[in-house]
Amino acid sequence: MADEVQIDKQVFHDRLGQFVSAWKADKRSGDALFSGVGSIVILLGKAEENAIFQKNNAMHFWLLGYEFPATLMIFTTETLYIVTTVKKAKHLEPLKGGKIPLEILVRGKDTEQNSKHWEKCLDVIKTAGNKVGTIAKDTSTGPFADDWRNAFRDISKDVEEVDISVALSAAALSAKDENELRSIRNASKACTLLMTEFFVEEMSEILDAEKDVTHKMLADRIDKKIDDGEFFKKIPSDFSVNQLDWVYGPVIQSGGKYDLKLSAMSDDNNLHAGTIIAGLGLRYKSYSSILARTYLVDPNKSQESNYKLLLSIHETVIKEAQEGVAVKDLYNKALGIIRTKKPDMEKHFLKNVGGGIGIETRDSTLILNGKNTRALKDGMTLCVTTGFSEIPNPDPQDKTSKTYSLLISDTVRIRRDAPTVVFTNAAPSDLESTSFFFKDDVEEEQKEPKAKAKKDPKVGAVASTNITKTKLRAERNTQADEGAEARRRQHQKELAQKKHAEGLERYSEAIGDQNGVAQKKFKRFESYKRDNQLPSRVKDLVIVVDQKAATVVLPIMGRPVPFHINTIKNASKSDEGEFTYLRINFLSPGQGVGRKDDQPFEDSNAHFVRSLTFRSKDAQRMQDISEQITDLRKNMVRREQEKKELEDVVEQDKLTEIRNRKPARLENVFVRPAMDGKRIPGEVEIHQNGLRYRDHRGNNIDVLFSNVKHLFFQPCTHELIVIIHVHLKNPIMIGKKKAKDVQFYREATDMQFDETGNRKRKHRMHDEEEFEQEQEERRRRAALDKEFKVFAEKVSAAGTDENVSVDIPFRELGFGGVPNRSSVLMQPTTDCLVQLTEPPFTVITLDDIEIAHLERVQFGLKNFDMVFVFKDFHRTPAHVNTIPVESLEGVKDWLDSVNIPYSEGPLNLNWGTIMKTVIADPHQFFADGGWSFLAAESDDEDASEEEEESAFEMSESDLAVSDVSSEDESDFDDDASADASADASLDEESAGEDWDELEKKAKKKDRDSGLNDEEEDSGRKKKR
């Protein structure tokens, strides 16, 4: 044995104790598993070149981590006896001293001494009982094995041999611990990497180029790949290529000749473009994993149907493989599916659906067939293998395709009360991923006949929705139906009560942040771990600014003392006479108000150095040090801000590209935000698990479906661009900036169709030419909308597993507002309120909203604001400002229809202070009434308006007296009434100027409606 052999003593005794404990427990419960044996014999003969892992060498690997040839183990419930050679005994000696005694018998060249060892072993067996456990299918060979068998014959009549294979599997080998599972997981990762990243690429290249490559040549390429350390660097963690070894294959089969057994070999026939079965198995640290896939090249309908059936059986077996399930039930479940869907396929189905896997490639006691009664347990690992053999092909592509076989193998782990884990699921097995199409079949889209829309000669090219039915803003109906208003108020009252009850239930205990803000934690900063890391210049006892370590080293009492830049507040320089003073101020508690006043300290009661002052005659040197410290401080603050900004940025999983066919593609689109700030066209592709945008310079943006929160399609109706917008769950990096929204768009206008373009067209005169241009514009926009909508629906279909669905804004429910800097059209969708036309984009998810509050809702104001408070109270409320008051009723109706409770008030509120109060103690906030204070404020305003209205119900004489007194006593009241009357007169003047022909009718209507008093007020205003 090599000198580097090191056996883990702790693992050895833990596993030996586990095995003996299971043995003793079985004795107490009736010897159902171990069959009442008193001793167990594990014999291992000479080392074989092509080692086949069976129970004997599996027990060696399980206990020792190595295989010890020419070694005999005899287990009893009290002691373990090992007979081996001198060299092996040296490695076993350190294992002595455990809970279960270990006795090592060293076998040498002395025949007499060797006979005594055999006699002692035989005495141990006879003393332990009249039953001895052995491995029935033991194939050990060599002189050592022959000597033991000859010695054992002497007592074979006195003891009964019992096959102990099932007990070894159940008590030791089948259920894996965490270290064993980690090794199987690493072996599975290596298998999937070889299959997906190497074999599929090689196979595709061979078939595409129509090269003549034999199965054996292709298998040899795969075989050599496990020595490529660079290739396996894609596997993270502590993976070591040196621990990899082949356990099965690689086996490549095609062309009508298939062997679905583990003993199959790759032959010398060329790879055939039909049904290709690829299987491979790797061992990592003695633990195995097997993976097999069937790839269909230009399959017909029958082949696709049979593969779908096999895949459904395979998935069902894996799903049903739960703890406590009998093995035979898995096979019978698979047969049940076949008999239900395609009974004629039963004769082609394999006789089992896999077996146990681990140190053994296949555990013979855990074969998944219809007779095995063993129950599955947590920690077991299985190789689930389903397949059909020798299936007749009703529509063969060539002579070699008359029959074909199908096979799928995966390595899985059984868990307690949880779904089965598939270690090899990174190698896709769905039909779309395993089908390859190399024939140039052009799929023609079905063209639907377009019905010509009938044209209204009265309207012409002007959209009827652009024609308003009223001429003055004052004439528009802003009053809601009283019955609808009452129902809305009642519904809002119910929503408010429900929201309050939810708040009380959610915050049933007093929890929150002190003072409404998250408490900062004390941070430790380490400049240097060892003395030799200090800069060499510190020995001169000068001030050194170490940019690399972000540290300032100061000479204090003859010693260099490092201070991390985060402990320094600032540095300043001053000149006094011939000396220059450098003052370095440090952070410490109680420095007054400011952003750093809440800086946490490990012990705020300790003594702190607030500042250090250094004096020098070298003014330039002091100036340089001051600037270096200031710059270092600024850089550190900037880095911390950048780090904080990128905290929520996640690294997405790798995009799985579609390689067997061309992905769905949308060409000539632009992306926002633009990469590198440049507007360059590109194309969007739909792949298996996400989208990829690729511009003409080769830059990519990948968006995975698992990171998509919302998907929007916005047509170009009344817009200049058509949009597919993706709102993400977590931000991603695009260039050097993070982005939570990715938008793909194309402009609806085209220069070649514009009047300023150079395209030659037939000249027509006046209206006829303009009408033709408008018709062409309308047709082009409709085609553009259809193209983008179809692509958005394809994205939604591809992301169905991640619940990606396309949403379209309702423009008819839109209202103007200012969510950021500019006034835009806010449009509701099914799940959101969005603004997708101008960056920065706005996407507010309705499910995230706690309540909405309408601010500045009062008579006389033309605009109001809307604030959304989110269920996550730490999130800053969203504002949509300057919404026209004409949209007030529409906004209320929309909020009510999506079950968002709202309130309204006359003033803008300080939401920063309000949210701090809520966060400080949410339980107390809801106990004190919750959001009812917003509704109370609204009710107070309504009451004040009623009081103001009732104050004006007086006689004309009282009104005159009131005017005189207001002129003398209250300038404020005078100005207010003057402004109101001025507004009224201006409205009348503007109405008269805009509609001269209706001026008389308007005056008559005003007199009839009782507005004479208002005219008199405006007259007095003009006179003054």
Side-chain angles (χ1 to χ4, degrees):
M1 299 292 289
D3 294 336
E4 64 270 11
V5 172
Q6 293 181 349
I7 301 173
D8 193 323
K9 183 177 180 180
Q10 184 65 40
V11 172
F12 171 78
H13 284 289
D14 287 346
R15 292 183 177 176
L16 179 59
Q18 170 192 329
F19 178 70
V20 173
S21 297
W23 189 358
K24 291 179 179 179
D26 184 62
K27 280 183 176 294
R28 292 191 297 268
S29 60
D31 293 323
L33 184 60
F34 286 80
S35 302
V37 299
S39 59
I40 298 173
V41 176
I42 304 294
L43 173 65
L44 191 61
K46 70 175 183 180
E48 302 287 345
E49 290 185 7
N50 298 322
I52 299 174
F53 281 77
Q54 295 179 339
K55 292 288 183 296
N56 48 7
N57 48 8
M59 284 298 293
H60 277 245
F61 279 107
W62 186 68
L63 286 173
L64 306 172
Y66 299 93
E67 184 183 49
F68 281 54
T71 299
L72 176 71
M73 290 183 178
I74 299 179
F75 295 83
T76 68
T77 55
E78 306 298 332
T79 308
L80 170 61
Y81 300 87
I82 298 180
V83 183
T84 188
T85 60
V86 177
K87 291 183 179 179
K88 302 183 186 73
K90 290 180 181 179
H91 299 294
L92 297 174
E93 283 293 336
L95 301 179
K96 290 184 176 180
K99 185 177 179 181
I100 297 176
L102 171 63
E103 187 171 338
I104 302 174
L105 305 177
V106 181
R107 180 179 170 83
K109 296 181 180 180
D110 189 345
T111 307
E112 184 178 348
Q113 185 66 29
N114 294 341
S115 298
K116 290 182 180 179
H117 292 333
W118 291 145
E119 290 176 4
K120 183 171 183 178
C121 293
L122 297 175
D123 289 339
V124 169
I125 293 172
K126 287 189 290 185
T127 305
N130 60 354
K131 286 187 178 182
V132 58
T134 59
I135 300 173
K137 298 180 181 179
D138 187 3
T139 58
S140 300
T141 59
F144 181 85
D146 293 340
D147 285 351
W148 165 248
R149 290 193 180 101
N150 290 332
F152 185 74
R153 285 196 191 99
D154 296 338
I155 64 167
S156 59
K157 296 179 181 179
D158 301 329
V159 295
E160 178 187 351
E161 292 186 55
V162 178
D163 186 9
I164 204 70
S165 300
V166 175
L168 294 179
S169 174
L173 302 175
S174 60
K176 315 297 189 297
D177 61 25
E178 189 55 42
N179 290 328
E180 295 174 292
L181 291 171
R182 188 178 297 113
S183 296
I184 296 176
R185 190 179 294 113
N186 283 334
S188 301
K189 289 179 180 178
C191 287
T192 55
L193 193 65
L194 275 174
M195 183 69 78
T196 58
E197 299 289 332
F198 186 74
F199 169 73
V200 172
E201 296 292 333
E202 290 287 312
M203 179 189 68
S204 302
E205 183 180 348
I206 292 170
L207 296 178
D208 197 23
E210 297 182 354
K211 297 179 181 178
D212 291 333
V213 178
T214 66
H215 299 143
K216 194 170 184 180
M217 291 169 59
L218 182 55
D220 289 341
R221 293 184 193 177
I222 304 172
D223 190 357
K224 295 175 182 178
K225 199 63 181 177
I226 69 167
D227 298 324
D228 186 354
E230 290 294 323
F231 178 76
F232 289 101
K233 280 187 177 180
K234 298 177 182 179
I235 300 178
S237 72
D238 55 348
F239 184 84
S240 174
V241 181
N242 298 328
Q243 299 285 353
L244 275 180
D245 193 13
W246 285 105
V247 69
Y248 164 60
V251 179
I252 314 299
Q253 303 177 79
S254 67
K257 296 180 180 181
Y258 303 95
D259 183 0
L260 305 187
K261 298 177 182 178
L262 280 176
S263 57
M265 302 286 288
S266 299
D267 57 26
D268 291 323
N269 293 324
N270 286 338
L271 186 70
H272 175 259
T275 302
I276 301 172
I277 296 179
L280 51 89
L282 290 173
R283 188 185 304 280
Y284 185 83
K285 292 183 179 180
S286 305
Y287 287 88
S288 308
S289 175
I290 291 178
L291 170 66
R293 292 288 183 266
T294 300
Y295 296 97
L296 304 174
V297 180
D298 297 316
N300 54 42
K301 296 297 183 181
S302 174
Q303 290 174 313
E304 289 183 350
S305 175
N306 289 333
Y307 186 84
K308 288 179 181 178
L309 173 64
L310 179 65
L311 186 61
S312 68
I313 295 170
H314 190 78
E315 292 173 346
T316 302
V317 171
I318 293 176
K319 182 180 178 182
E320 295 294 327
Q322 302 289 327
E323 186 180 31
V325 175
V327 168
K328 64 178 183 178
D329 293 341
L330 296 180
Y331 188 76
N332 293 332
K333 188 79 174 179
L335 286 182
I337 297 175
I338 298 174
R339 290 165 181 169
T340 302
K341 295 184 177 180
K342 286 190 176 183
D344 57 320
M345 293 296 291
E346 184 178 350
K347 59 186 177 183
H348 302 289
F349 192 58
L350 299 183
K351 301 304 179 183
N352 61 70
V353 290
I357 192 171
I359 298 176
E360 295 178 277
T361 307
R362 172 165 289 196
D363 186 348
S364 58
T365 67
L366 197 56
I367 302 298
L368 307 182
N369 56 31
K371 300 178 182 179
N372 197 334
T373 58
R374 284 189 63 180
L376 301 179
K377 293 183 179 179
D378 178 34
M380 282 186 173
T381 50
L382 308 174
C383 175
V384 177
T385 301
T386 56
F388 293 117
S389 62
E390 302 299 326
I391 310 170
N393 191 352
D395 185 19
Q397 294 89 335
D398 48 47
K399 295 181 180 179
T400 59
S401 301
K402 292 181 180 179
T403 60
Y404 64 97
S405 298
L406 302 173
L407 184 72
I408 305 174
S409 291
D410 279 299
T411 303
V412 304
R413 176 213 168 170
I414 308 300
R415 292 197 299 173
R416 179 179 289 112
D417 300 328
T420 305
V421 177
V422 183
F423 287 144
T424 50
N425 63 347
S429 57
D430 58 284
L431 181 61
E432 185 177 1
S433 302
T434 57
S435 299
F436 291 78
F437 298 92
F438 293 97
K439 293 181 180 178
D440 298 329
D441 293 331
V442 181
E443 297 182 0
E444 296 184 0
E445 296 184 359
Q446 296 180 354
K447 298 182 179 180
E448 299 180 358
K450 297 181 180 179
K452 294 184 178 180
K454 294 183 178 180
K455 197 166 51 178
D456 188 353
K458 297 180 180 178
V459 177
V462 182
S464 60
T465 54
N466 292 336
I467 303 176
T468 58
K469 297 180 181 180
T470 55
K471 301 170 184 176
L472 300 179
R473 183 168 53 206
E475 293 179 4
R476 296 176 191 167
N477 182 24
T478 58
Q479 300 297 322
D481 179 67
E482 292 182 2
E485 175 68 18
R487 287 191 296 271
R488 191 171 65 195
R489 284 181 178 273
Q490 180 61 30
H491 185 222
Q492 280 297 309
K493 187 176 180 180
E494 295 172 358
L495 289 176
Q497 292 173 351
K498 182 180 178 183
K499 187 65 65 176
H500 185 69
E502 290 176 357
L504 288 173
E505 183 180 357
R506 192 176 6 157
Y507 301 101
S508 56
E509 297 179 0
I511 55 174
D513 297 331
Q514 188 178 353
N515 298 326
V517 293
Q519 295 300 300
K520 295 183 179 179
K521 296 180 180 180
F522 173 74
K523 293 183 180 180
R524 291 183 176 273
F525 303 102
E526 188 175 39
S527 299
Y528 308 103
K529 292 184 178 181
R530 294 179 296 276
D531 294 344
N532 58 6
Q533 292 179 338
L534 287 165
S536 57
R537 290 187 58 198
V538 300
K539 62 184 179 182
D540 299 330
L541 293 179
V542 295
I543 300 176
V544 178
V545 181
D546 188 352
Q547 299 282 349
K548 186 177 180 181
T551 300
V552 181
V553 184
L554 303 176
I556 300 177
M557 300 180 68
R559 291 179 178 274
V561 182
F563 292 88
H564 196 277
I565 192 64
N566 283 324
T567 64
I568 298 175
K569 185 177 181 181
N570 54 41
S572 61
K573 181 188 76 72
S574 61
D575 298 320
E576 293 184 11
E578 60 178 342
F579 293 103
T580 299
Y581 293 85
L582 176 66
R583 180 184 176 92
I584 299 177
N585 298 313
F586 297 93
L587 293 171
S588 59
Q591 291 183 332
V593 296
R595 287 188 301 172
K596 294 297 179 185
D597 191 43
D598 59 349
Q599 180 76 22
F601 294 91
E602 190 172 20
D603 182 7
S604 58
N605 296 322
H607 293 282
F608 289 83
V609 177
R610 288 207 169 182
S611 65
L612 292 174
T613 304
F614 297 86
R615 186 180 71 174
S616 174
K617 290 185 178 181
D618 190 348
Q620 186 60 40
R621 164 81 175 154
M622 291 289 110
Q623 178 68 25
D624 292 343
I625 293 174
S626 176
E627 290 177 355
Q628 288 178 26
I629 294 175
T630 303
D631 293 342
L632 183 59
R633 180 69 187 155
K634 288 180 180 177
N635 292 337
M636 183 58 66
V637 171
R638 188 183 70 252
R639 282 199 294 268
E640 287 181 354
Q641 290 176 345
E642 291 175 354
K643 184 179 178 181
K644 185 177 180 181
E645 184 180 353
L646 299 178
E647 278 180 352
D648 55 347
V649 175
V650 298
E651 184 177 351
Q652 299 184 117
D653 294 334
K654 186 178 178 182
L655 183 76
T656 304
E657 298 184 50
I658 293 177
R659 300 180 183 275
N660 52 2
R661 58 179 173 81
K662 290 184 178 180
R665 183 181 288 114
L666 185 64
E667 298 179 341
N668 194 27
V669 295
F670 298 92
V671 66
R672 292 195 290 192
M675 290 184 286
D676 301 329
K678 296 181 180 179
R679 184 173 173 272
I680 298 176
E683 57 187 23
V684 189
E685 297 175 344
I686 304 175
H687 290 278
Q688 289 187 19
N689 63 337
L691 303 175
R692 167 166 287 176
Y693 173 82
R694 182 185 290 110
D695 65 15
H696 296 166
R697 294 180 301 179
N699 297 324
N700 294 340
I701 298 176
D702 292 344
V703 178
L704 298 190
F705 294 136
S706 59
N707 194 29
V708 174
K709 188 174 183 180
H710 298 294
L711 173 68
F712 302 103
F713 160 67
Q714 180 174 296
C716 57
T717 308
H718 307 294
E719 299 287 352
L720 298 177
I721 56 177
V722 58
I723 294 170
I724 292 177
H725 187 97
V726 181
H727 183 66
L728 306 177
K729 297 175 183 176
N730 299 297
I732 61 173
M733 295 300 296
I734 297 181
K736 296 181 180 179
K737 296 182 179 180
K738 73 172 185 178
K740 202 170 182 179
D741 292 273
V742 181
Q743 185 178 103
F744 310 107
Y745 71 96
R746 191 188 298 171
E747 294 180 351
T749 56
D750 198 332
M751 289 297 295
Q752 65 178 343
F753 293 100
D754 215 8
E755 290 183 359
T756 57
N758 296 322
R759 185 186 178 195
K760 294 181 180 179
R761 57 167 60 93
K762 296 179 181 179
H763 292 280
R764 296 182 176 87
M765 296 297 293
H766 306 301
D767 293 343
E768 187 178 355
E769 180 181 1
E770 292 178 5
F771 179 75
E772 186 66 25
Q773 292 175 13
E774 290 171 359
Q775 290 290 90
E776 178 66 22
E777 173 81 7
R778 193 176 293 111
R779 283 193 293 270
R780 196 157 36 81
R781 282 176 174 264
L784 196 58
D785 284 345
K786 182 180 179 182
E787 181 183 3
F788 269 67
K789 185 176 181 181
V790 168
F791 187 80
E793 290 172 349
K794 289 181 179 179
V795 174
S796 176
T800 302
D801 293 341
E802 299 293 342
N803 297 321
V804 177
S805 59
V806 64
D807 207 352
I808 302 177
F810 301 115
R811 188 178 182 89
E812 60 273 13
L813 298 179
F815 53 88
V818 183
N820 291 293
R821 294 186 296 268
S822 57
S823 179
V824 293
L825 179 66
M826 303 295 298
Q827 301 181 79
T829 70
T830 304
D831 301 316
C832 301
L833 176 65
V834 300
Q835 183 281 118
L836 309 176
T837 307
E838 294 184 16
F841 309 114
T842 302
V843 178
I844 301 174
T845 306
L846 301 184
D847 288 341
D848 295 344
I849 297 174
E850 175 82 2
I851 57 132
H853 182 67
L854 310 179
E855 299 180 327
R856 296 194 303 120
V857 178
Q858 54 180 311
F859 180 75
L861 295 182
K862 297 180 180 179
N863 302 300
F864 68 96
D865 305 329
M866 180 163 52
V867 181
F868 292 108
V869 178
F870 297 103
K871 294 176 181 177
D872 179 7
F873 295 148
H874 291 86
R875 186 175 169 186
T876 306
H879 293 253
V880 181
N881 300 323
T882 322
I883 304 173
V885 73
E886 290 82 11
S887 303
L888 179 60
E889 293 301 321
V891 169
K892 287 182 180 180
D893 287 338
W894 168 68
L895 290 172
D896 189 65
S897 66
V898 293
N899 295 327
I900 295 178
Y902 68 84
S903 55
E904 56 183 270
L907 304 173
N908 290 108
L909 303 179
N910 188 344
W911 286 99
T913 305
I914 293 173
M915 297 314 297
K916 279 187 178 182
T917 304
V918 176
I919 295 170
D921 191 350
H923 171 73
Q924 189 60 40
F925 172 75
F926 281 101
D928 292 339
W931 304 108
S932 59
F933 76 94
L934 297 173
E937 182 181 345
S938 176
D939 294 340
D940 293 343
E941 175 62 16
D942 293 339
S944 63
E945 288 181 2
E946 291 176 3
E947 291 176 2
E948 290 175 4
E949 290 174 2
S950 63
F952 283 94
E953 294 177 2
M954 55 181 69
S955 62
E956 294 184 1
S957 59
D958 292 336
L959 182 61
V961 173
S962 176
D963 289 342
V964 175
S965 63
S966 62
E967 289 178 7
D968 297 336
E969 297 173 6
S970 176
D971 292 336
F972 177 79
D973 290 341
D974 176 65
D975 293 339
S977 61
D979 290 343
S981 61
D983 290 341
S985 64
L986 286 174
D987 286 343
E988 289 182 359
E989 290 175 6
S990 62
E993 292 171 359
D994 289 340
W995 303 96
D996 293 336
E997 68 277 13
L998 299 176
E999 184 176 3
K1000 293 182 180 180
K1001 288 185 178 180
K1003 288 184 178 181
K1004 184 177 183 300
K1005 186 176 181 181
D1006 291 343
R1007 285 195 298 271
D1008 295 339
S1009 59
L1011 297 178
N1012 291 332
D1013 295 339
E1014 194 172 327
E1015 290 181 358
E1016 292 175 5
D1017 290 342
S1018 63
R1020 286 198 295 270
K1021 170 72 177 176
K1022 292 177 182 178
K1023 290 179 182 178
R1024 279 201 302 240

